[in-house]
Amino acid sequence: MKIKCLIIDDEPLAINVIKNYIEQIEDLELINTFSNSIEGLNFLKNNAIDVIFLDINMPVLDGINFIKSLENPPLLIITSAYDQFAIETYELDVLDYLVKPIEFPRLMKAVNKINKRLNNTSKLPQENSKENPFIFVKIDKKKMKKIFLNEILVIESLKDYLKISTTSGKFIIHSTLSDFTSLLPERDFIRIHRSYTIAIDKIDAVEGNSIEIEGLRYVIGRSYIDEVKQKILNSSI
């Protein structure tokens, strides 16, 4: 099922930007848009929504008081031209805070958080063990690629880009290694070098200061080696 989205923003241009982004992401479905929060509040009374992209500065009822008025709020992504409300909104369990102008890669990071939250909370524990979690990455101007986490082998930094090696192919995306690694479950992935993050269950061997995955060796950085070896040891049966 697609993730049902709502946009509430009093700026038509801001609505159009997010609307255009949502239309490029296969897993998202834009249900409606509103230029004020009162209309959005009335809509929510009779309609189920998974996530709201919400502005803060709006007439009559601002975004913060809108959130406080919700009894069972959906996931909330703030889209604001100002960053000073970030602390206050996070105390209201906002999932992410995007500062305008919003670039597509930054919104995709928020979408991956949405997927991660829904995967973690919408299913029973026994069902979670059977699911196959994934993320979407942008591999060119128009194409989003679904990558299953259990297929990832190694993520390699190429300055402003990453090469993601998986069991089904290799993909180049525009991101930093720190940002991408932060989206991955810590129990399954570990950064071993300033240039590499690897999937722990894909390790074939550890020898000295290197790790072998599918016949290729990756050096463990000096500042990472103690943490890496400890985590690998703890992951063993």
Side-chain angles (χ1 to χ4, degrees):
M1 293 179 62
K2 291 193 173 185
I3 298 169
K4 297 179 180 180
C5 304
L6 192 68
I7 302 173
I8 304 177
D9 198 311
D10 64 342
E11 299 178 25
L13 179 59
I15 288 178
N16 287 336
V17 168
I18 299 174
K19 179 181 178 181
N20 178 59
Y21 289 161
I22 289 174
E23 289 173 348
Q24 297 181 56
I25 304 172
E26 183 180 351
D27 264 22
L28 302 187
E29 179 183 5
L30 181 60
I31 302 301
N32 214 331
T33 67
F34 295 103
S35 59
N36 70 76
S37 53
I38 299 296
E39 292 179 351
L41 199 59
N42 291 331
F43 180 82
L44 288 171
K45 291 178 181 178
N46 301 305
N47 297 273
I49 292 295
D50 297 309
V51 58
I52 302 176
F53 292 89
L54 177 69
D55 190 18
I56 292 291
N57 289 329
M58 290 184 288
V60 185
L61 183 67
D62 64 42
I64 291 175
N65 284 306
F66 169 84
I67 295 171
K68 291 178 179 179
S69 71
L70 300 176
E71 291 186 6
N72 296 298
L75 298 180
L76 297 162
I77 306 293
I78 298 299
T79 58
S80 175
Y82 308 96
D83 60 6
Q84 65 261 37
F85 304 108
I87 294 176
E88 184 174 1
T89 56
Y90 279 127
E91 292 176 351
L92 298 173
D93 198 29
V94 164
L95 184 62
D96 208 344
Y97 194 106
L98 310 185
V99 179
K100 300 173 182 175
I102 301 167
E103 299 292 335
F104 187 81
R106 182 63 185 88
L107 183 125
M108 272 309 306
K109 186 175 181 179
V111 171
N112 286 328
K113 287 184 179 180
I114 293 169
N115 279 316
K116 192 172 182 180
R117 177 72 69 87
L118 292 177
N119 284 337
N120 287 340
T121 62
S122 64
K123 299 183 180 182
L124 296 174
Q126 60 267 29
E127 293 175 318
N128 276 331
S129 64
K130 298 177 182 178
E131 71 182 34
N132 194 2
F134 57 86
I135 57 174
F136 277 95
V137 296
K138 190 174 184 180
I139 60 174
D140 60 38
K141 290 183 178 180
K142 295 183 178 180
K143 187 173 183 179
M144 303 296 300
K145 174 68 178 175
K146 178 190 284 187
I147 296 181
F148 291 100
L149 298 189
N150 64 4
E151 292 185 358
I152 296 176
L153 301 169
V154 178
I155 304 104
E156 179 181 356
S157 175
L158 305 172
K159 291 188 177 180
D160 295 329
Y161 293 84
L162 297 178
K163 179 172 71 174
I164 305 174
S165 299
T166 75
T167 55
S168 58
K170 297 180 180 180
F171 309 96
I172 302 295
I173 69 168
H174 182 65
S175 180
T176 66
L177 188 59
S178 294
D179 284 347
F180 191 83
T181 301
S182 70
L183 300 174
L184 303 173
E186 293 183 5
R187 67 182 182 278
D188 300 324
F189 294 87
I190 187 169
R191 189 165 180 175
I192 65 168
H193 189 277
R194 65 181 182 179
S195 298
Y196 300 108
T197 292
I198 58 96
I200 295 173
D201 69 338
K202 300 301 190 298
I203 297 173
D204 295 316
V206 180
E207 183 178 354
N209 66 338
S210 68
I211 285 174
E212 183 179 332
I213 298 177
E214 294 204 340
L216 298 177
R217 287 190 175 273
Y218 301 91
V219 174
I220 304 172
R222 184 176 301 174
S223 61
Y224 296 86
I225 194 161
D226 290 338
E227 179 185 355
V228 170
K229 289 192 173 182
Q230 184 64 43
K231 190 165 186 178
I232 291 172
L233 180 64
N234 291 340
S235 67
S236 303
I237 298 177

